[in-house]
């Protein structure tokens, strides 16, 4: 309703005002959509947001303002998703404020930023459908008065599709997304279990090596170990067990490097090996074609040098076979994605389904002013459905979101502690 000096303006002027209003709304809707889901950081506080007290729980962008923009979304942000929970993190995870916190940080979500282009495309289609149908089908002004179409031509008709098409295809789309996310989560879960086995069996290996050091009797033998342990040299024992601990750590650290991007970990890996191993040992592993295999070989040699019965060594070496299994299983996950034809079909299905959805939603929002609510509805639907597919894609390769460096540090500390304990013959 246009007022001038308390008088209603003529219909022509009201029509012109509505045209300008409609054009301004289209521009504003398009701009706001682009700003909210663009990969460019539009909110300066998103990059400087302070992390929580526990850094392991911090899942957002880097807190360093000088961090490159590539760390705010996409591949660069994966390093900030390597969470390790303790009791404090679980308390926050169960907090009654979690829903409010998750909603308040929605526009900072890396998942939603990754699908920004797809959401923008879907919303642009919705804006086009709305604007075209308003122009050729008539419109309602702010006073509730209906006006004739601004484009009057026999070829200018409203565009739309029946909603039945989309309701019929919805179960198929749901099944595709469920299978896609389940397959990706199972890959992440399997990778985490491989590292769980590494943690458990590195402890087992060093525990047996420490407890059995110097025991030349076979398992189950009635021989008295203390008679043999009198010849144990404490300095030699410390060195040999220290080698077992070091090469145990070197294997898992080499495995972590083997499964990580070269540009992220190569320099740190070389520096860590040279700081803990002798120059000859470090160079032998670094120069190897397959570094984890070389570290595992050195660990086998270190076990073989331990003074104990060969049957006890065989029991220790069973752990190395498990390490080979976890390494091979991890290489399988890294080199073999979910079949590409399945992933591509799912992506094409959801893209086409969402791009054409606005054509069917226009008629469903007839109760809103000029069907305007179909635009935010299309935006939200595309955000959440594209987000599900993006979750599956992010989970599919699990190693760059697993805290493997934390696992390696934990294994190294545990093994160093275990080999420092007093074993048989040194308990008095």
């Amino acid at each position: 309703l246009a007022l001038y000096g308390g008088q209603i303006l003529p219909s022509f002027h009201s029509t012109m005002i509505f045209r300008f209003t409609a054009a301004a709304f289209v521009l504003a809707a398009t701009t706001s959509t682009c700003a909210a889901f663009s990969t460019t950081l539009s909110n300066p506080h998103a990059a400087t947001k302070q992390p929580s007290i526990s850094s392991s729980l911090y899942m957002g962008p880097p807190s360093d303002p000088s961090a490159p923009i590539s760390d705010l979304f996409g591949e660069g942000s994966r390093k900030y998703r390597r969470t390790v929970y303790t009791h404090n993190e679980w308390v926050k995870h169960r907090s009654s404020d979690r829903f409010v916190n998750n909603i308040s940080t929605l526009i900072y979500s890396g998942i939603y930023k990754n699908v920004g282009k797809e959401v923008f495309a879907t919303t642009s289609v919705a804006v086009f459908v709305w604007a075209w149908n308003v122009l050729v089908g008539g419109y309602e002004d702010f006073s509730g008065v209906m006006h004739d179409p601004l484009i009057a031509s026999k070829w200018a008709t409203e565009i739309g599709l029946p909603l039945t098409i989309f309701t019929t295809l919805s179960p198929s789309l749901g099944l595709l997304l469920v299978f896609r996310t389940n397959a990706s989560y199972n890959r992440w879960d399997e990778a985490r279990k491989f590292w769980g086995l590494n943690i458990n069996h590195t402890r087992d290996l060093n525990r047996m090596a420490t407890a059995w050091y110097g025991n030349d009797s076979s398992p189950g033998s009635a021989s008295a170990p203390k008679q043999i342990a009198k010849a144990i040299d404490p300095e030699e024992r410390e060195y040999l067990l220290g080698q077992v601990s070091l090469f145990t750590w070197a294997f898992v650290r080499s495995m972590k490097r083997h499964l990580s991007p070269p540009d992220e970990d190569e320099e740190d890996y070389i520096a860590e090996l040279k700081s803990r191993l002798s120059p000859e040992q470090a160079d032998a592993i670094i120069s190897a074609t397959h570094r984890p295999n070389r570290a595992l070989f050195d660990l086998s040699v270190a076990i073989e040098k331990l003074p104990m019965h060969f049957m006890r060594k065989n029991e220790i070496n069973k752990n190395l076979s498990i390490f080979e299994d976890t390494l091979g299983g991890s290489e399988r996950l890294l080199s073999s994605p979910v079949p590409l034809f399945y992933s591509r079909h799912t992506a094409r299905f959801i893209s086409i389904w969402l791009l054409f959805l606005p054509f069917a939603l226009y008629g469903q929002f007839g109760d809103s002013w000029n069907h305007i609510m179909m635009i935010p509805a299309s935006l939200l639907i595309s955000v959440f459905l594209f987000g599900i597919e993006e979750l599956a894609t992010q989970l599919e390769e699990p190693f760059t979101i697993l805290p493997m460096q934390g696992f390696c540090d934990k294994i190294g500390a545990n093994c160093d502690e275990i080999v420092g304990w007093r074993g048989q013959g040194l308990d008095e």
Side-chain angles (χ1 to χ4, degrees), residues 100-354:
V100 176
N101 294 333
N102 289 333
I103 293 297
S104 64
T105 58
L106 187 146
I107 62 174
Y108 304 121
S109 169
I111 293 294
Y112 298 147
K113 286 184 178 294
N114 284 352
V115 298
K117 295 179 181 178
E118 294 84 352
V119 172
F120 177 72
T122 304
T123 309
S124 297
V125 171
V127 171
F128 168 77
V129 171
W130 173 83
W132 175 261
N133 286 342
V134 166
L135 291 174
V136 303
Y139 62 92
E140 176 186 350
D141 63 20
F142 296 120
S143 63
V145 178
M146 290 299 301
H147 294 269
D148 294 333
L150 300 179
I151 300 177
S153 176
K154 62 180 181 179
W155 55 264
T157 59
E158 292 187 356
I159 53 178
L161 290 172
L163 190 62
T164 307
I165 299 175
F166 299 91
T167 56
T168 303
L169 292 176
S170 294
S172 300
L173 177 60
L175 286 175
L176 280 175
L177 289 176
V178 167
F179 291 152
R180 178 83 170 90
T181 52
N182 280 351
S184 296
Y185 175 78
N186 288 336
R187 290 168 60 86
W188 178 90
D189 185 57
E190 189 175 9
R192 180 61 184 87
K193 288 177 179 177
F194 285 149
W195 277 94
L197 286 173
N198 283 343
I199 293 174
N200 294 344
H201 287 279
T202 51
R203 295 169 179 170
D204 199 32
L205 184 156
N206 283 268
R207 173 186 57 80
M208 289 189 290
T210 302
W212 292 346
Y213 184 92
N215 192 334
D216 199 30
S217 62
S218 61
S221 172
S223 302
K226 290 187 178 180
Q227 295 178 357
I228 302 170
K230 291 179 180 178
I232 293 178
D233 182 354
E235 293 184 0
E236 182 184 29
R237 176 183 182 276
E238 180 181 1
Y239 172 76
L240 292 178
L241 290 178
Q243 291 293 291
V244 173
S245 174
L246 280 176
F247 285 119
T248 302
W249 168 83
F251 163 70
V252 294
R253 186 62 183 87
S254 298
M255 179 174 170
K256 188 262 181 183
R257 167 63 196 88
H258 188 63
L259 301 173
S260 301
D263 57 346
E264 177 186 314
D265 194 43
E266 179 68 16
E267 293 182 1
D268 292 339
Y269 169 75
I270 294 175
E272 288 183 40
L273 253 63
K274 289 185 175 181
S275 67
R276 298 196 63 175
L277 302 177
S278 68
E280 296 78 12
Q281 294 171 337
D283 290 340
I285 296 177
I286 293 171
S287 61
T289 303
H290 196 288
R291 291 163 171 175
N293 276 346
R294 174 65 202 212
L296 207 56
F297 167 78
D298 290 337
L299 178 57
S300 297
V301 173
I303 293 172
E304 187 62 27
K305 292 179 179 179
L306 297 177
M308 64 178 63
H309 196 275
F310 75 92
M311 292 185 65
R312 296 184 184 273
K313 293 180 182 178
N314 289 344
E315 289 297 316
I316 296 177
N317 277 309
K318 289 180 181 179
N319 293 289
L320 274 63
S321 298
I322 295 175
F323 296 156
E324 288 282 11
D325 291 339
T326 61
L327 175 60
S330 297
E331 290 174 329
R332 168 176 53 82
L333 291 177
L334 185 64
S335 61
S336 304
V338 173
L340 294 180
F341 53 82
Y342 185 90
S343 302
R344 289 171 179 169
H345 179 70
T346 303
R348 290 164 182 159
F349 194 131
I350 191 173
S351 298
I352 294 174
W353 194 90
L354 285 171

